[in-house]
């Protein structure tokens, strides 16, 4: 790149009422080193562990939806006029602490613990709307005020309780039930299906989304995970909608499912491991899965990150090759190199029988056609992160510049935010910055 070009992204935290705007400038002919700087600290109504940023409207404004670890728990909408100008639109009440939020053109979807919610939004402003039954016939409320109104109730509440009750031991590490219940909510690309990963009930819940009626959902199926101890944390769709990827928090696997019946029926196709051979899965908790943004509807790479459960145990980012259809490209030989945080290479077994914390093969309990697959087929890189990641180590793909893909990665252990680069062969850290003292970085969303 001959001239410097900068890219902005937002970062929320687990424990401070602030939103950070960071500016990343890749290296260029005029600047030999990449830089990452905090350019704005915006006041927030609470800590925001998960962020969802919409595409720009015709006037250039966007809406930022965020989980809010407030009491009582809420989700929040902000008007984003520019990367450094953010104002509160309103809040909406959730029954339990929300793990993730996502949004369609008409609704916001939240899931956490034992329950989930559907909230109607104003298409013009992005704020939350009351329905006639909630507002005595008045279908709109003031969504333009910068001060927080009374939280809006949901259009629909979803229960994930079944024969097994919701476990919540009240500890910090339970996160209000998120580690033992529903954790995420994501829409299919056509917004016809909703996927909820449920760590505690070891399943993916699927729902059909109504194109009318405010975006209400109808239950599809409860798809039990391939292994009894998987702990599904997040489901991410391929742009085609033909496949979804499920990150398993407890086994550090990513499973590939084909979809049918409008996206609500899943079939297990493949499973890959995202920690090196020889590592014990019980010493990690997997965090995030994403597809690359380059090559538009046919991403070439799958990124998946894990965290160390102990500060002494560093995390990993695994990169897998995808076919044009969205499957893991198993024709690619597994890498034998473990790429560490400082760029050094150490030997590692890229194939063979893997041993999990129970002394069994990593796929030994997967009663599917993927059970005999090499769990490292298609692996291109296994990158060791600079820290354990704390509660985060969340990766978010961003811009591609001169064929190099850049990803933001957050760290709550020490408050770092990193930018990693991937050129198709090697992943490395190109820039980092640290948030204010005591702020644990949670997740990032790019403007580009």
């Amino acid at each position: 790149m001959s001239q410097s070009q900068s890219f902005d992204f937002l970062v929320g935290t687990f424990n401070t009422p602030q939103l950070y705007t960071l500016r990343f400038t890749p290296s260029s002919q005029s600047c030999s080193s990449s830089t990452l700087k905090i350019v704005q600290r915006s006041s927030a109504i609470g800590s925001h562990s998960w962020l969802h940023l919409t595409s720009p409207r015709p006037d250039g404004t966007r809406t930022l939806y965020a989980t809010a670890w407030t009491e009582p728990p809420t989700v929040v909408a902000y008007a984003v006029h520019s990367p450094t100008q953010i104002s509160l639109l309103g809040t909406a009440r959730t029954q339990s602490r929300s793990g993730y939020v996502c949004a369609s053109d008409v609704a916001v979807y939240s899931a956490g613990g034992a329950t989930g919610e559907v909230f109607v939004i104003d298409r013009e402003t992005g704020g939350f709307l009351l329905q006639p039954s909630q507002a005595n016939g008045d279908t709109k409320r003031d969504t333009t005020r910068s001060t927080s109104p009374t939280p809006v109730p949901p259009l629909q509440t979803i229960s994930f309780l079944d024969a097994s009750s919701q476990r919540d031991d009240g500890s910090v590490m339970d996160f209000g039930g998120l580690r033992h219940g529903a954790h995420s909510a994501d829409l299919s690309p056509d917004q016809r299906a909703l996927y909820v990963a449920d760590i505690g009930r070891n399943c993916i819940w699927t729902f059909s989304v109504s194109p009318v009626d405010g975006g209400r959902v109808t239950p599809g199926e409860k798809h039990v995970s391939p292994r009894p101890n998987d702990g599904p944390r997040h489901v991410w769709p391929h742009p085609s909608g033909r496949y979804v990827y499920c990150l398993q928090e407890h086994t550090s696997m990513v499973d590939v499912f084909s979809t049918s019946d409008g996206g609500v029926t899943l079939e297990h196709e493949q499973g890959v491991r995202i920690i090196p051979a020889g590592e014990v899965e019980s010493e990690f908790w997997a965090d995030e899965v994403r597809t690359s943004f380059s090559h538009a509807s046919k991403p070439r790479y799958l990124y998946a990150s894990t965290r160390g459960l102990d500060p002494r145990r560093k995390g990993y980012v695994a990169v897998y090759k995808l076919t044009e259809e969205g499957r893991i490209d198993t024709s690619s030989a597994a890498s034998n190199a473990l790429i560490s945080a400082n760029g050094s290479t150490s030997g590692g077994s890229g194939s063979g029988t893997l041993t999990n914390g129970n002394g069994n093969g990593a796929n030994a309990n997967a009663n599917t056609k993927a059970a005999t697959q090499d769990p490292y087929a298609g692996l291109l890189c296994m990158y060791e992160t600079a820290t354990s990641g704390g509660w985060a180590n969340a990766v978010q793909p961003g811009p591609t510049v001169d064929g190099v893909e850049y990803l933001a990665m957050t760290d709550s252990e020490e408050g770092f935010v990193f930018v990693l680069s991937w050129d198709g062969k090697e992943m490395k850290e190109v820039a980092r910055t640290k948030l204010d003292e005591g702020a644990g970085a949670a997740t990032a969303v790019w403007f580009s």
Side-chain angles (χ1 to χ4, degrees):
M1 185 169 61
S2 57
Q3 295 182 344
S4 296
Q5 181 181 9
S6 296
F7 303 91
D8 294 336
F9 60 92
L10 297 173
V11 173
T13 78
F14 289 106
N15 50 2
T16 63
Q18 286 183 313
L19 288 164
Y20 290 83
T21 303
L22 278 68
R23 181 160 296 159
F24 169 65
T25 305
S27 60
S28 64
Q29 291 182 6
S30 60
C31 181
S32 59
S33 299
S34 300
T35 61
L36 182 62
K37 299 179 180 179
I38 299 171
V39 295
Q40 178 71 25
R41 296 166 176 83
S42 302
S43 297
I45 69 164
S47 55
H48 296 319
S49 64
W50 187 258
L51 309 176
H52 175 94
L53 185 64
T54 67
S55 300
R57 294 186 177 81
D59 64 359
T61 62
R62 302 171 184 247
T63 306
L64 177 72
Y65 298 105
T67 59
W69 290 10
T70 54
E71 190 55 48
T74 55
V75 292
V76 186
Y78 293 95
V80 181
H81 308 284
S82 74
T84 58
Q85 187 182 4
I86 301 171
S87 59
L88 179 66
L89 283 171
T91 63
R93 177 77 165 86
T94 58
Q95 189 165 324
S96 53
R97 177 179 287 181
S98 176
Y100 286 35
V101 289
C102 64
S104 70
D105 297 333
V106 298
V108 167
Y109 300 89
S110 167
T115 57
E117 291 85 16
V118 181
F119 300 97
V120 180
I121 56 178
D122 185 330
R123 290 193 180 195
E124 294 182 5
T125 69
F128 298 109
L129 288 180
L130 282 173
Q131 294 306 289
S133 61
Q134 300 168 334
N136 298 320
D138 181 6
T139 61
K140 294 190 68 174
R141 67 179 298 136
D142 180 6
T143 59
T144 62
R145 294 183 298 173
S146 60
T147 56
S148 176
T150 302
V152 173
L155 169 71
Q156 181 182 10
T157 299
I158 309 164
S159 174
F160 303 114
L161 294 178
D162 52 13
S164 58
S165 62
Q166 172 68 35
R167 174 186 168 190
D168 183 349
D169 60 20
S171 68
V172 172
M173 294 298 286
D174 186 74
F175 300 100
L178 294 179
R179 288 204 74 196
H180 301 105
H183 195 279
S184 69
D186 278 290
L187 289 162
S188 61
D190 61 7
Q191 301 184 357
R192 293 177 55 196
L194 178 72
Y195 305 102
V196 175
D198 193 320
I199 298 175
R201 280 162 280 276
N202 200 44
C203 70
I204 301 169
W205 303 95
T206 68
F207 299 87
S208 293
V209 178
S210 172
V212 295
D213 198 22
R216 286 180 180 269
V217 299
T218 302
E221 69 173 7
K222 176 186 179 181
H223 191 96
V224 177
S225 201
R227 306 159 203 87
N229 61 329
D230 271 334
R233 175 185 174 85
H234 195 189
V235 177
W236 184 253
H238 184 272
S240 69
R242 292 176 56 189
Y243 296 94
V244 296
Y245 312 98
C246 181
L247 180 121
Q248 311 290 7
E249 179 168 306
H250 299 323
T251 57
S252 291
M253 298 287 291
V254 170
D255 288 296
V256 183
F257 297 88
S258 57
T259 68
S260 58
D261 301 326
V264 300
T265 300
L266 305 180
E267 182 176 356
H268 189 215
E269 302 286 348
Q270 297 172 295
V272 294
R273 201 168 191 239
I274 57 173
I275 54 176
E279 293 282 20
V280 180
E281 64 189 33
S282 61
E283 296 180 356
F284 298 88
W285 47 338
D287 187 77
E288 196 54 83
V289 61
R290 282 287 191 267
T291 50
S292 58
F293 285 159
S294 60
H295 303 92
S297 62
K298 297 180 180 179
R300 291 184 177 180
Y301 308 113
L302 182 80
Y303 301 112
S305 63
T306 56
R307 305 160 286 180
L309 271 170
D310 186 284
R312 295 167 295 182
R313 174 66 68 183
K314 294 180 179 180
Y316 292 95
V317 179
V319 184
Y320 277 87
K321 185 178 180 181
L322 294 176
T323 65
E324 288 192 356
E325 292 74 24
R327 294 173 61 92
I328 303 293
D329 187 351
T330 56
S331 67
S332 175
S335 171
N336 288 323
L338 168 62
I339 310 301
S340 69
N342 61 13
S344 62
T345 303
S346 60
S349 173
S351 60
T353 302
L354 304 177
T355 302
N356 63 19
N358 298 319
N360 299 317
N363 274 320
N365 294 317
N367 187 23
T368 71
K369 58 187 176 184
T372 58
Q373 175 198 320
D374 172 7
Y376 287 119
L379 178 67
L380 298 177
C381 178
M382 187 74 74
Y383 172 84
E384 186 178 54
T385 61
T387 69
S388 73
W391 296 353
N393 248 22
V395 290
Q396 179 60 46
T400 298
V401 180
D402 295 336
V404 177
E405 301 191 7
Y406 293 100
L407 303 85
M409 185 176 71
T410 51
D411 159 61
S412 74
E413 180 185 325
E414 300 183 36
F416 284 114
V417 179
F418 306 94
V419 174
L420 310 178
S421 69
W422 169 249
D423 62 3
K425 297 180 181 179
E426 181 185 17
M427 178 168 283
K428 60 184 179 181
E429 177 190 329
V430 296
R432 71 166 68 182
T433 192
K434 193 171 185 178
L435 303 185
D436 298 322
E437 189 66 30
T443 52
V445 287
W446 292 84
F447 282 89
S448 55

